[in-house]
Amino acid sequence: MEAKSLKLNSIAKCLEEWAPLSLQESYDNSRLLYGEPEATVHAALVCLDVTSFIVDEAIAKGANLIISHHPLIFGGLKSLTGKNDSEKALIKAIQNNIAIYACHTNLDNVINGVNSAIGKRLGLSQMKILAPKENLLKKLVVYVPEADWQKLSEAMWQAGAGSIGNYDECSFRTVGTGTFKASANANPAKGEKGIRHEEKEFRLEVLVEAQVLNKVLDVMHRAHPYEEVAYDIFDLNNPHPQVGSGMYGDLEEAVNAHDFLRHIKKEFGGIVRYTKVHQDSIRRIAWCGGSGSFLLNKAKSVGADLFLSSDFKYHQFFEADNEILIADIGHFENEQFTIDLIAEHLRKKFPNFAVLLTENSTNPINYI
Ligand SMILES: [Zn+2]
């Protein structure tokens, strides 16, 4: 099978449909960082961090796109002089025409992203978001003639409205009567100009994620028979069950805490720093890829026996307080499977496009 070339923006689109950029944290910089969206990509190299060593690897492998988890440009650039390895890597990428794309906290925050890859390694199947995000959901209410509700709902469902957890095509409708009087300049689909018209209509309600709202509105306007569509958009305070930080889940049965710590070390490598084992068996596990210490209280509040993450400071270990077992496995170690995760996603969508996994560890920390 001949390897296929792709436009850079079609690769970005594939990643962003999975991990929308709007779901990244405010401090983050997930996006296409370097490269022209219309450029042709022959092969992509996936890694956690972009170092000059990784750029060399991309050159050697003929990859003209590097997709990393951590953004190479993070806090903004005022100069680019090669004063550190990140700048050297960027200069080398520019000189060799290698595009750079980062998929960071947006991939942390989606339910089938970084944290689900960690959960699978831990042996969990039923997983929930530990700290679901709020203010990401809207309620869209639209008034539609009875005869047209089905066509309209199907178009809106197709555009992404009406999804709740594992359920699609969710909606609610009530019947009522709409009134309107078309002016001389109007083009009414029902009734006559200048005469008040009454129409049996449905009030159709659907849940819409904020990031697809514009798309759904566009489709709604096109599928609706009326010239002027009457609709309302409401902000919801409901947490989004599938978007947020960290995850938790239950093991099929309780296991010995020390055995589970050994299992973690076997799966993730590196070293495991952990707090006092205050109970013999554990069942509910919470975890967060990257620096997740800010979620410790959340993990306690869902009754987790163990919280796995990385980058805990000395004093934070005290906060386990015999209520939970903290297991700090290292930042690189807990995010390492993100590389396979990104590669698998792209390979599924583009089976004959060359997606390469880096063969170099970018972990800056060594252990003896
Ligand atoms: Zn990270």
Side-chain angles (χ1 to χ4, degrees):
M1 197 192 305
E2 203 186 320
K4 188 165 108 182
S5 294
L6 293 169
K7 290 274 180 228
L8 182 49
N9 55 12
S10 63
I11 298 170
K13 184 167 173 259
C14 169
L15 293 169
E16 286 160 24
E17 278 171 358
W18 175 35
L21 296 182
S22 60
L23 298 182
Q24 68 185 291
E25 300 295 336
S26 55
Y27 57 80
D28 195 14
N29 194 31
S30 292
R31 66 183 76 221
L32 177 61
L33 296 171
Y34 173 68
E36 291 174 58
E38 286 298 322
T40 301
V41 180
H42 307 295
L45 180 68
V46 186
C47 58
L48 269 193
D49 310 276
V50 186
T51 63
S52 44
F53 206 67
I54 292 285
V55 180
D56 285 336
E57 186 184 3
I59 295 166
K61 290 180 169 163
N64 61 337
L65 167 64
I66 295 173
I67 301 169
S68 68
H69 182 47
H70 297 131
L72 178 59
I73 304 170
F74 199 67
L77 273 177
K78 288 201 169 177
S79 65
L80 186 55
T81 57
K83 58 185 169 293
N84 54 40
D85 188 69
S86 295
E87 290 197 5
K88 286 190 179 86
L90 185 55
I91 291 170
K92 198 179 275 189
I94 293 169
Q95 286 169 343
N96 288 278
N97 218 1
I98 295 174
I100 309 275
Y101 186 94
C103 195
H104 187 211
T105 53
N106 47 331
L107 191 55
D108 290 332
N109 284 336
V110 292
I111 195 150
N112 50 358
V114 173
N115 285 310
S116 75
I118 296 172
K120 280 179 200 152
R121 288 280 164 165
L122 290 170
L124 292 140
S125 48
Q126 295 290 321
M127 309 177 220
K128 287 188 178 137
I129 296 281
L130 183 59
K133 284 200 179 296
E134 292 172 1
N135 304 317
L136 290 176
L137 295 171
K138 310 270 184 194
K139 169 69 70 76
L140 175 61
V141 176
V142 55
Y143 302 86
V144 57
E146 206 178 1
D148 299 283
W149 81 269
Q150 202 147 358
K151 180 183 163 222
L152 182 69
S153 348
E154 272 163 19
M156 293 199 297
W157 290 331
Q158 202 76 44
S163 287
I164 305 175
N166 293 323
Y167 295 82
D168 289 330
E169 304 192 3
C170 305
S171 72
F172 186 80
R173 61 182 194 275
T174 40
V175 70
T177 306
T179 69
F180 49 84
K181 185 165 80 177
S183 72
N185 296 327
N187 248 321
K190 309 264 179 186
E192 286 171 44
K193 292 181 188 183
I195 300 170
R196 186 174 66 230
H197 179 74
E198 292 204 355
E199 181 72 27
K200 198 172 177 196
E201 292 176 349
F202 277 129
R203 174 192 157 102
L204 181 64
E205 304 180 22
V206 282
L207 210 59
V208 184
E209 291 178 312
Q211 80 259 17
V212 294
L213 180 64
N214 285 341
K215 188 179 167 196
V216 171
L217 288 177
D218 182 45
V219 161
M220 178 193 79
H221 279 103
R222 278 189 277 129
H224 201 290
Y226 286 0
E227 191 176 19
E228 298 292 345
V229 181
Y231 67 97
D232 312 309
I233 301 165
F234 299 99
D235 288 333
L236 297 181
N237 293 325
N238 309 37
H240 194 311
Q242 294 188 299
V243 176
S245 312
M247 284 188 132
Y248 70 100
D250 293 332
L251 297 166
E252 266 175 35
E253 50 190 50
V255 295
N256 177 276
H258 286 102
D259 287 348
F260 194 71
L261 289 166
R262 276 188 283 274
H263 168 66
I264 290 172
K265 183 170 164 84
K266 188 167 154 265
E267 285 295 318
F268 293 83
I271 55 163
V272 181
R273 302 190 299 157
Y274 61 96
T275 53
K276 189 177 167 190
V277 176
H278 60 283
Q279 57 188 57
D280 289 340
S281 69
I282 53 172
R283 179 148 191 218
R284 177 159 288 189
I285 313 296
W287 64 95
C288 180
S291 312
S293 60
F294 69 102
L295 289 172
L296 181 64
N297 284 335
K298 266 278 169 198
K300 286 182 184 178
S301 74
V302 297
D305 303 310
L306 180 144
F307 180 49
L308 175 144
S309 193
S310 65
D311 299 342
F312 275 85
K313 291 180 184 166
Y314 176 77
H315 291 285
Q316 291 175 316
F317 282 99
F318 285 99
E319 293 167 23
D321 230 1
N322 280 338
E323 292 172 56
I324 197 165
L325 171 57
I326 296 173
D328 183 323
I329 65 168
H331 197 125
F332 180 87
E333 284 77 8
N334 83 359
E335 289 184 337
Q336 60 190 301
F337 307 115
T338 308
I339 298 172
D340 309 76
L341 185 76
I342 294 171
E344 274 167 32
H345 183 80
L346 289 172
R347 282 171 180 164
K348 229 180 265 168
K349 180 81 193 273
F350 308 117
N352 53 355
F353 173 68
V355 183
L356 315 170
L357 277 69
T358 180
E359 290 170 70
N360 293 298
S361 162
T362 53
N363 193 354
I365 302 167
N366 295 297
Y367 311 106
I368 54 167

